[in-house]
C-alpha cells in the first residue's frame, strides 16, 4: 500500500490564511479573527482530493518544527519570513492528530522529515509543491504531476540548488548563477562538488561559502540523520562528490 507523505505545513497554512477576516472597531483598533470550521473543512477537503489520486493510500502528515537547525548554519536563513502563523493554525494541527498520523521531528523542516522517512521506508510518495523535494530519490507528486526521481536526478538538483541559492529561503548562490545558468555550467563542467567550488571561486567567494550553501540546500535523507542523537548530520563533501 502506498504511503502518502504530505507536506501539511503548506496545506494548513494556506487554508488557515484564507479563513482569516478583519474586525475593524474604529479608533485605530483592528482585530484579526478566523473561522476554525472553515479552515479545518478546507484542509480535510484538500487532503481527500490528494488521496483520490491514489488507490486506498495510507496518509502521513508532516509539519516543520518551531526551531530550525539551518539557523545554526546561517542565522539569516528564512529571516525574511517573520510573519506569524495565521489564526487557527495550531488548532487545525491538533485536530488533524485525531484523524491522521502526524510527524514533526526536532529542529527539522517538514521537507527533511519527509526525506528521511521516504529513504527509510518502501512504497512512499512525497506530496509537495516544493521544488526542494526533487532532491529525494523516489516518487514525487507536486499536486499536479507525478515524477520519478533517480539518485542521479536528486544529486544533480542538490548541486544546482547549492550553486543557484534560494531567494525564497533567504540565501543567495554564486552571483550570476540562477537555475538555468547553473544547469548549463554543470553540463559543461560535470555535476561534481569540484565544479561547485570552481563556480564560487570564479565569483570571488570561497569553498566555505559553497559548503554553507550546500548545508542549507541539502534536504536530509536517512543517511543525513543521527537517529540515536535525534539530530541532523551536516553535509560534508566526500571523495564520491568530486
Amino acid at each position: 500500500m502506498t504511503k502518502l507523505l504530505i507536506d501539511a505545513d503548506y496545506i494548513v497554512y494556506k487554508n488557515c490564511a484564507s479563513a482569516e477576516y478583519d474586525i475593524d472597531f474604529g479608533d485605530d483598533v483592528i482585530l484579526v479573527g478566523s473561522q476554525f470550521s472553515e479552515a479545518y473543512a478546507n484542509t480535510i477537503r484538500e487532503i481527500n482530493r490528494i488521496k483520490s489520486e491514489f488507490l486506498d493510500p495510507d496518509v502521513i502528515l508532516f509539519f516543520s518544527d518551531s526551531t530550525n537547525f539551518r539557523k545554526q548554519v546561517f542565522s539569516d536563513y528564512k529571516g525574511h519570513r517573520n510573519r506569524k502563523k495565521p489564526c487557527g493554525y495550531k488548532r487545525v494541527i491538533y485536530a488533524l492528530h485525531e484523524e491522521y498520523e502526524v510527524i514533526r521531528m526536532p529542529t527539522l523542516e517538514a521537507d527533511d522529515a519527509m526525506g528521511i522517512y521516504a529513504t527509510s521506508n518502501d512504497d512512499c510518495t512525497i506530496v509537495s509543491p516544493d521544488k526542494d523535494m526533487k532532491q529525494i530519490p523516489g516518487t514525487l507528486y507536486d499536486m499536479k504531476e507525478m515524477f520519478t526521481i533517480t539518485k542521479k536526478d536528486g544529486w544533480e538538483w542538490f548541486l544546482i540548488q547549492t550553486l543557484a541559492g534560494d531567494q525564497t529561503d533567504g540565501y543567495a548562490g554564486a552571483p550570476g548563477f540562477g537555475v538555468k545558468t547553473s544547469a548549463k555550467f554543470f553540463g559543461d563542467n560535470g555535476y561534481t562538488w569540484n565544479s561547485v567550488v570552481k563556480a564560487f571561486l570564479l565569483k570571488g567567494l570561497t569553498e566555505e561559502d559553497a559548503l554553507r550553501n550546500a548545508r542549507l540546500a541539502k534536504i536530509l535523507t536517512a543517511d543525513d540523520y543521527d537517529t540515536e542523537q535525534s539530530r541532523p548530520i551536516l553535509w560534508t563533501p566526500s571523495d564520491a562528490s568530486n
Side-chain angles (χ1 to χ4, degrees):
M1 181 180 292
T2 299
K3 298 184 184 72
L4 296 187
L5 316 184
I6 299 180
D7 179 358
D9 269 338
Y10 162 78
I11 294 172
V12 173
Y13 190 102
K14 178 181 67 173
N15 287 305
C16 286
S18 69
E20 284 187 340
Y21 55 85
D22 295 340
I23 305 174
D24 189 346
F25 288 97
D27 296 324
D28 206 31
V29 178
I30 301 174
L31 298 181
V32 177
S34 176
Q35 188 168 356
F36 167 76
S37 59
E38 177 186 342
Y40 187 70
N42 287 341
T43 297
I44 294 297
R45 186 178 299 112
E46 189 157 354
I47 293 171
N48 286 337
R49 182 189 66 77
I50 293 168
K51 287 172 61 179
S52 71
E53 300 289 331
F54 300 84
L55 182 62
D56 192 28
D58 283 338
V59 171
I60 306 176
L61 306 182
F62 288 78
F63 291 93
S64 299
D65 193 29
S66 57
T67 58
N68 192 322
F69 79 91
R70 290 181 177 83
K71 289 281 190 181
Q72 302 301 314
V73 178
F74 180 52
S75 60
D76 286 339
Y77 180 76
K78 290 190 175 179
H80 59 296
R81 297 191 186 184
N82 52 14
R83 186 187 186 280
K84 74 172 186 66
K85 292 289 192 292
C87 287
Y89 181 82
K90 289 184 178 179
R91 184 175 173 187
V92 169
I93 294 175
Y94 291 146
L96 289 171
H97 276 81
E98 301 298 319
E99 295 194 47
Y100 296 100
E101 180 179 357
V102 173
I103 292 179
R104 179 191 282 113
M105 298 177 69
T107 77
L108 304 188
E109 298 181 55
D111 293 355
D112 300 304
M114 289 189 293
I116 292 168
Y117 193 100
T119 53
S120 303
N121 297 273
D122 296 327
D123 299 323
C124 294
T125 295
I126 291 174
V127 180
S128 172
D130 194 331
K131 63 185 184 302
D132 293 350
M133 302 316 297
K134 291 163 64 178
Q135 292 184 30
I136 304 301
T139 305
L140 171 65
Y141 177 56
D142 71 353
M143 309 286 194
K144 296 178 182 178
E145 297 181 69
M146 200 83 68
F147 301 89
T148 298
I149 311 296
T150 66
K151 284 188 176 182
K152 179 175 179 289
D153 294 334
W155 167 251
E156 291 180 356
W157 187 248
F158 161 58
L159 293 183
I160 288 172
Q161 290 194 292
T162 296
L163 182 52
D166 191 335
Q167 295 297 338
T168 62
D169 285 340
Y171 68 97
F177 280 92
V179 169
K180 291 182 179 179
T181 309
S182 298
K184 183 179 185 306
F185 181 83
F186 287 121
D188 294 338
N189 294 272
Y191 280 88
T192 69
W193 176 247
N194 286 340
S195 295
V196 175
V197 174
K198 177 181 177 180
F200 272 78
L201 294 178
L202 283 172
K203 296 298 182 177
L205 300 173
T206 67
E207 185 169 357
E208 287 73 23
D209 294 321
L211 181 59
R212 181 196 65 194
N213 263 32
R215 289 174 170 176
L216 295 173
K218 185 72 168 70
I219 302 302
L220 303 186
T221 67
D223 292 335
D224 305 309
Y225 191 70
D226 184 337
T227 54
E228 292 185 3
Q229 299 293 325
S230 296
R231 64 185 182 188
I233 301 169
L234 295 181
W235 187 83
T236 301
S238 65
D239 290 341
S241 306
N242 295 329

